[in-house]
Amino acid sequence: DNSLDLSNAGRGVWLVKVPKYIANKWEKAPGNIEVGKLKISKTTGQKAQVSLTLSDAIIQLDPSEEIPKDHRLDVSVVTKQTLGVFSHMTPNAGASGSGTGTENGTTESEKLYMEGRIVQKLECRPYADNCYMKMKLESIKKASQPVRKVKSLEKIVQNFKPVSDHKHNIEYKERKKAEGKKSRDDKNAVQDMLFNAFEKHQYYNIKDLVKITKQPISYLKEILKEVCDYNMKNPHKNMWELKKEYRHYKEDDKKEEKAENSFSDSD
């Protein structure tokens, strides 16, 4: 059932490449008309000259679209390749197609045929006459037309008018301007703010201290270098903490109490 019918395996066939405009015309054509005539001219000692002339019925399928009528076919021999043309048809349909299911649930086998072996390749080319040049000019003009065009509006379109700047961006810019305009406070006042902050937490990064003191970052760093140490190692890398002489935490008080008690015991 799956055997290949090789009765036409010895038949030589041509593989012809045609321009797109010819293929479109042939696809639109009904199956009962002549699409063209093939002419083979043989001269002794020279290659055979092959030409294709489209029929008037094909040309008149779309009179508004003018296409060349006469074409030449450049022939090339197939070498180092084995190419064939195959067809298949189902027994019931009697036409090309794939297998279909039967009432018993089995799949009908396809009949496979080898229609011939490709012996020559041909490429269909139009002659460079006025009709062809005109057709190419129209295709170039059509391809060069932009898909989108800019149009001038007589009235303002409110629905699609873009926002020049969003509200949150405006607020952010205003806030940055206000921060930049702030003058430097008194050095002692800034130190008091820093000491109050370090009573709550032992470590701060520079961004948090800028928010707390509301001072320019360069001015704040000058003061921090006087009263704070900058940690370069983990676990508090890139954080500021008070210098030892300014620290006063509960843990330090407990250590001092323990030292006093041990000193009194020794006495």
Side-chain angles (χ1 to χ4, degrees), residues 20-46:
K20 191 175 181 179
Y21 60 85
I22 294 181
N24 293 336
K25 290 280 189 181
W26 284 354
E27 287 179 358
K28 295 176 183 177
N32 57 351
I33 66 169
E34 180 185 287
V35 296
K37 289 184 178 181
L38 198 66
K39 183 179 179 182
I40 304 174
S41 302
K42 294 184 178 180
T43 305
T44 306
Q46 296 181 0

Side-chain angles (χ1 to χ4, degrees), residues 10 28 44 63 95 97 101 107 119 127 141 155 159 199 207 212 222 229 231 253:
K28 295 176 183 177
T44 306
T107 304
V119 293
Y127 294 103
K141 287 181 179 179
K155 297 181 181 180
N159 296 337
E199 286 180 1
K207 291 182 180 179
I212 294 169
E222 291 177 7
D229 290 328
N231 289 296
D253 294 341

